[in-house]
Amino acid sequence: MSALKRHKELTRIWASDPGWRKCFTTVSHTDLGRMFICAAFFFFAIGGLLAMLIRAQLASPNSAFMGPEGYAQVFTMHGTIMMFLFAIPLIEGVAVYLLPKLLGTRDLAYPRLTAYGFWCYILGGTMLIFALLAGIAPDGGWFMYPPLTSSAASPGINTDFWLLGITFVEISAICAAVEIIVSILRYRAPGMALSKMPIFAWYMLVVAVMILTGFPPMILGSILLELERAFGLPFFQMEAGGDSLLWQHLFWLFGHPEVYIIFLPAAGVISTILPIMSRTTLLGYGWVVAAAVALGVLSFGLWVHHMFTTGIPHMGLAFFSAASTLVAVPTAVQIFAWIGTLWKGRPRATLPMLYILAFFVTFVIGGLTGVMVAIVPFDWQVHDTHFIVAHLHYVLVGGFVFPMLGAIYYWLPHFTGRRRFFRLGETAFWLIVPAFHVTFLGVHWAGLLGQRRRTWTYESGQGWDIINLISSIGGFVMAIGFVLVLIDIVTNAVVAVRGSRNPWKAGTLEWAMPTPPPAYNFASLPEITTRDPLHADPDLAVKIAKGEGYLGDWSRGRRETLVVNAATGEPAHLTIYPGNTLLPFIMALVTAGIFLGMLLKLYWLVPIAAIGVATLVVHWVWGLGSAGEEGLLNVGRNLSLRPAAEVSDPPGWWGSMFLLLADATLFGSLIFGFAFLWTVAPNWPPQEWVEVSPLWLTLFVIGISLAPWAIRHGLKQVEKGRSARLSFSLAAIGSVMLTAAALLLLTFVPDPTRHAYDATLWVIAGYVGFHATLITAMSIFLLVRNARGYQSPRKKGEIRIARLWIDYAVVTGLIGLGGASLSGILT
């Protein structure tokens, strides 16, 4: 069996559809990673153009280049695009493209979920760009503070585009986070224990967990503000028991971890590239991993330092100021590890290395100004000035854009299969980096002299004129540099000659495959015993191509890879991937109907689109299993494993567990909002309370008792080889009763527009009702699957998945509905 024959057969099995259909039907992580990266840089170009409009406006005092309305739209969309449509999607794209290759596997855990997330990103971003072109773009700032964004202060559709478009885009981030976590934990080369993972995988694991716990508060805030604007539920209206500070808490619970969500992948890139460019290994691997985890944890305790000027009690100011300075410690650990790596190695002045050195200088300055604004008296002075604008750009451009440019040039030979020939990149570097410092050191200076941010013009004679002119000139020079980067990358990708497989002499697995990468990644999966397998075995690439690893045989004609033990990397079972399909694209289009229905006030479209999404989900999930069992299957190297459908913890169970982590964070944020308003908002408690009836109590108690008992009884019946139809029927009945209890609670609320208390109870009841409806559908699904013979003592994974969701629905029902009903009684 020749390597060429194996390559042809695996390519036939794994190849994407030809022609234009490829973009819409591919589920290949390589294709989707490239699409994510290209789309992110397209949005970066738009955001950069908007930045040039801002600098043109501020270049001179009393400028007539833009009016206040246009300027508000431009600076809002600049921040929105750079944060939501460029930075996070670029991280997703790099991770989607690289992780399976670094981890030595053939694809991510859920290829169709990746495709669905990509199309949600594209459609949500398109909504925002359409608003910009139509002149109805969001104009309340990328932070959207109420009451400036309430329906009274912002009556148009502008704010709705932001709230609905960004929420749509965040579906992509949640999908990517679940995908990344499960892929890192379970989809690795055999033998790759956690301690042997590439450092980039550790960083992305931390980042993905942060996304699942950081994004839900902002998603909740967007939902609440849109409900207020659309239906008058007064969450942020002080006269009706709300408080606009609730939005700031929810937004910055997301907003500050977001900074580290952006920085940590770039730090992972540096920790990967720097040792290669220094011709050594990373100093302090364990310390760097610990520092990344510590940054991820500490970042969630800093959100209030964005609110130092809002009247926070002094004890709170002291706590969050101390926490904000403490975060410098794990950052310093990483920087000293990188400096030590440089010190013990022999650095090469390559283009990726130049961008890493630019990162060091720029990010350290940004970090120092970050410590400055963590000091409360100083923050009071500069909080609403251009000093904060400059600090943000030093952290995000220095801490993210520069390392990612280095990453693009480092992996460009892998991406294209060609070596760099034209050298425009070096010229671009010497334009971008000095021009950046000219621009934003000037912005720092203007801020210290008192220039306010978010203002569309300023008067002459305040000492800012020449500073702003020089900053604007620097900004335009920097833009020219970025254009040269684009030209350089495209030219070298298209025209340059073919290069060697591993031009950097790296030791990680992505360089053990042909470049550009084949559709299947690895002809066989290698056994890994070290962090740098190509350094330990220079012939590893040849052995992989010869099929000496696992799954070198294509005879089953399916897309297959191995799932390993999360800790040790020992092979656990075999997973079978779906083929090319339009389903993710169609499902994203139908999902868009929900958001368009809300945006255009076509509320009849929302339930129709929701039913369409539910139907497609059932079709999606139904195809994951089959009647009967395959038993043990040969995977090579004298090892046989069962397919994922015949194990107790299939990939869907792991995905559900981490999706529920995001779900629980959103619910916890909702309860936090309820408690916050109860504590600080005026007019609490209201005069009228929810009073429950005996019927409601009966439905509630039976629902939360019957559903979890029935699903467990059904699981035991299946494990014994018996029919579980009665058990699943009872689980469905219990779920229906919980749904009825949630809906009945809505009727007890006199008027959700009357008071924030009533509005919050409506949302809590709606949340519980949604999950109760979901587990009802799951119970019916299990009932039908049981009748069709899809379940057996070994094929019980889907039942355990349903049990996870039922338990979660019951717990949130107890907390939400139980708390809602008791709040009035206890008070």
Side-chain angles (χ1 to χ4, degrees):
M1 186 184 301
S2 69
L4 181 59
K5 172 71 172 177
R6 180 176 292 102
H7 168 74
K8 289 181 177 179
E9 292 298 324
L10 287 173
T11 299
R12 177 184 58 81
I13 294 169
W14 287 83
S16 302
D17 290 335
W20 62 269
R21 285 177 54 87
K22 174 181 179 178
C23 292
F24 300 97
T25 62
T26 184
V27 290
S28 164
H29 82 97
T30 299
D31 293 337
L32 291 165
R34 287 171 172 166
M35 291 159 68
F36 260 114
I37 292 169
C38 291
F41 275 108
F42 171 77
F43 286 117
F44 178 71
I46 297 175
L49 178 61
L50 296 177
M52 293 304 97
L53 296 179
I54 293 171
R55 287 316 317 170
Q57 172 68 16
L58 296 178
S60 60
N62 299 311
S63 174
F65 183 69
M66 282 189 287
E69 295 82 5
Y71 184 81
Q73 291 188 22
V74 167
F75 91 76
T76 297
M77 285 299 295
H78 168 69
T80 298
I81 288 173
M82 290 306 195
M83 296 294 284
F84 298 105
L85 300 184
F86 165 64
I88 297 299
L90 181 61
I91 292 166
E92 295 172 32
V94 171
V96 166
Y97 179 85
L98 277 180
L99 278 176
K101 297 171 173 57
L102 284 165
L103 296 173
T105 188
R106 285 175 170 166
D107 211 322
L108 294 166
Y110 315 109
R112 292 184 297 182
L113 187 65
T114 308
Y116 173 68
F118 171 76
W119 289 112
C120 287
Y121 160 53
I122 292 297
L123 294 173
T126 301
M127 287 173 58
L128 289 165
I129 300 304
F130 169 80
L132 178 65
L133 296 175
I136 50 175
D139 54 3
W142 73 277
F143 34 79
M144 285 288 151
Y145 287 162
L148 296 176
T149 52
S150 66
S151 55
S154 181
I157 201 173
N158 307 56
T159 299
D160 299 304
F161 266 108
W162 192 96
L163 295 171
L164 295 168
I166 292 302
T167 303
F168 196 8
V169 169
E170 296 315 320
I171 294 176
S172 172
I174 298 298
C175 291
V178 172
E179 181 86 82
I180 289 168
I181 293 173
V182 179
S183 297
I184 292 173
L185 291 179
R186 302 304 309 270
Y187 289 73
R188 307 195 299 268
M192 185 183 283
L194 289 176
S195 60
K196 296 183 177 67
M197 282 202 312
I199 192 67
F200 182 75
W202 272 110
Y203 275 98
M204 288 310 306
L205 181 61
V206 174
V207 167
V209 174
M210 291 176 68
I211 289 174
L212 292 185
T213 50
F215 279 45
M218 194 209 68
I219 293 173
L220 174 66
S222 300
I223 292 171
L224 296 183
L225 184 53
E226 181 59 28
L227 289 175
E228 178 175 300
R229 290 176 56 83
F231 305 113
L233 277 62
F235 301 105
F236 308 105
Q237 298 176 20
M238 184 172 293
E239 65 276 8
D243 195 319
S244 59
L245 281 184
L246 174 61
W247 169 269
Q248 291 200 37
H249 280 289
L250 293 175
F251 183 84
W252 290 116
L253 274 168
F254 146 82
H256 198 83
E258 161 87 340
V259 174
Y260 295 93
I261 288 170
I262 291 172
F263 164 68
L264 284 173
V269 164
I270 294 167
S271 295
T272 300
I273 298 176
L274 188 65
I276 304 303
M277 297 297 105
S278 301
R279 291 174 279 194
T280 185
T281 56
L282 178 66
L283 180 68
Y285 174 95
W287 284 98
V288 171
V289 170
V293 174
L295 266 179
V297 173
L298 289 174
S299 68
F300 286 92
L302 312 181
W303 82 94
V304 174
H305 85 208
H306 294 272
M307 303 170 61
F308 280 168
T309 61
T310 60
I312 301 296
H314 286 180
M315 182 63 74
L317 293 177
F319 172 82
F320 285 100
S321 178
S324 300
T325 54
L326 179 63
V327 79
V329 175
T331 305
V333 168
Q334 295 173 88
I335 290 175
F336 281 116
W338 296 330
I339 293 173
T341 302
L342 284 169
W343 186 268
K344 75 169 185 171
R346 291 174 295 134
R348 293 175 284 180
T350 60
L351 188 53
M353 189 66 167
L354 290 178
Y355 277 110
I356 290 175
L357 295 177
F359 154 82
F360 277 116
V361 175
T362 311
F363 187 75
V364 168
I365 294 174
L368 290 175
T369 56
V371 174
M372 291 167 67
V373 298
I375 307 304
V376 176
F378 184 83
D379 184 78
W380 283 347
Q381 297 299 315
V382 302
H383 177 74
D384 206 26
T385 71
H386 275 258
F387 187 92
I388 301 299
V389 175
H391 161 68
L392 179 65
H393 283 81
Y394 260 84
V395 171
L396 295 183
V397 177
F400 177 72
V401 176
F402 289 170
M404 297 312 288
L405 287 175
I408 292 297
Y409 277 108
Y410 175 76
W411 278 294
L412 188 63
H414 192 286
F415 203 86
T416 65
R418 300 176 184 271
R419 63 182 177 87
R420 286 183 67 232
F421 179 77
F422 303 97
R423 298 293 171 176
L424 277 177
E426 283 76 6
T427 303
F429 172 85
W430 290 111
L431 288 176
I432 291 172
V433 176
F436 170 83
H437 286 281
V438 168
T439 300
F440 289 102
L441 282 175
V443 175
H444 271 120
W445 188 8
L448 287 174
L449 292 177
Q451 184 177 3
R452 298 316 234 176
R453 56 177 171 164
R454 307 168 193 157
T455 52
W456 68 286
T457 190
Y458 55 94
E459 296 294 330
S460 181
Q462 301 185 74
W464 310 333
D465 303 24
I466 188 65
I467 298 173
N468 277 298
L469 178 60
I470 294 173
S471 292
S472 294
I473 293 172
F476 279 97
V477 173
M478 182 169 54
I480 294 171
F482 281 118
V483 171
L484 289 181
V485 168
L486 176 63
I487 295 172
D488 186 51
I489 290 173
V490 172
T491 304
N492 281 290
V494 175
V495 179
V497 297
R498 297 279 303 185
S500 60
R501 175 178 289 191
N502 187 2
W504 306 112
K505 308 304 179 186
T508 44
L509 282 174
E510 79 272 28
W511 301 105
M513 62 179 67
T515 55
Y520 53 84
N521 280 349
F522 299 96
S524 60
L525 304 184
E527 183 86 27
I528 299 302
T529 58
T530 178
R531 290 180 198 144
D532 296 300
L534 288 186
H535 289 163
D537 184 1
D539 296 326
L540 183 61
V542 176
K543 295 176 181 178
I544 290 172
K546 288 181 177 180
E548 296 181 12
Y550 295 91
L551 295 178
D553 183 7
W554 68 83
S555 58
R556 286 189 288 267
R558 303 183 300 196
R559 301 183 180 188
E560 297 177 339
T561 197
L562 294 183
V563 176
V564 301
N565 179 277
T568 65
E570 293 298 316
H573 57 264
L574 177 73
T575 193
I576 301 161
Y577 288 124
N580 302 321
T581 175
L582 272 171
L583 182 59
F585 174 67
I586 295 172
M587 189 166 159
L589 284 178
V590 178
T591 306
I594 298 174
F595 294 92
L596 288 175
M598 290 294 297
L599 179 67
L600 302 176
K601 307 298 187 271
L602 302 175
Y603 298 123
W604 54 268
L605 180 60
V606 176
I608 293 175
I611 293 171
V613 171
T615 303
L616 290 170
V617 168
V618 171
H619 174 66
W620 181 317
V621 176
W622 187 268
L624 293 177
S626 60
E629 296 183 5
E630 289 190 82
L632 292 171
L633 300 173
N634 179 36
V635 298
R637 298 174 68 99
N638 299 316
L639 179 66
S640 295
L641 298 172
R642 293 188 177 275
E646 298 174 22
V647 298
S648 60
D649 59 339
W653 185 88
W654 285 80
S656 293
M657 187 167 61
F658 288 105
L659 183 58
L660 285 173
L661 172 63
D663 204 347
T665 305
L666 188 141
F667 181 71
S669 301
L670 179 57
I671 299 302
F672 163 80
F674 185 81
F676 174 79
L677 292 178
W678 194 295
T679 304
V680 305
N683 306 321
W684 281 71
Q687 295 180 350
E688 297 182 25
W689 297 92
V690 169
E691 296 182 5
V692 298
S693 66
L695 173 62
W696 179 90
L697 189 60
T698 301
L699 291 172
F700 179 63
V701 171
I702 294 177
I704 62 173
S705 303
L706 183 58
W709 174 86
I711 191 67
R712 283 165 169 75
H713 186 266
L715 178 59
K716 291 180 181 178
Q717 294 296 99
V718 170
E719 288 174 338
K720 295 176 181 178
R722 301 172 184 170
S723 172
R725 298 180 194 178
L726 178 59
S727 300
F728 296 146
S729 299
L730 292 174
I733 292 171
S735 302
V736 168
M737 288 187 172
L738 184 57
T739 306
L743 296 177
L744 189 59
L745 183 64
L746 297 178
T747 66
F748 300 151
V749 179
D751 179 9
T753 65
R754 179 185 65 93
H755 195 277
Y757 168 80
D758 304 303
T760 308
L761 291 189
W762 259 64
V763 174
I764 291 173
Y767 179 92
V768 175
F770 169 79
H771 286 80
T773 303
L774 180 62
I775 64 173
T776 301
M778 285 184 171
S779 300
I780 296 172
F781 179 85
L782 292 179
L783 177 62
V784 176
R785 298 275 274 196
N786 189 261
R788 297 289 182 88
Y790 278 71
Q791 297 162 359
S792 68
R794 289 197 178 275
K795 301 180 70 173
K796 58 186 179 182
E798 61 188 24
I799 306 173
R800 297 185 71 239
I801 293 171
R803 186 177 70 179
L804 271 179
W805 286 91
I806 288 174
D807 289 348
Y808 177 80
V810 167
V811 170
T812 53
L814 275 169
I815 297 173
L817 300 187
S821 61
L822 288 174
S823 59
I825 298 173
L826 294 177
T827 304

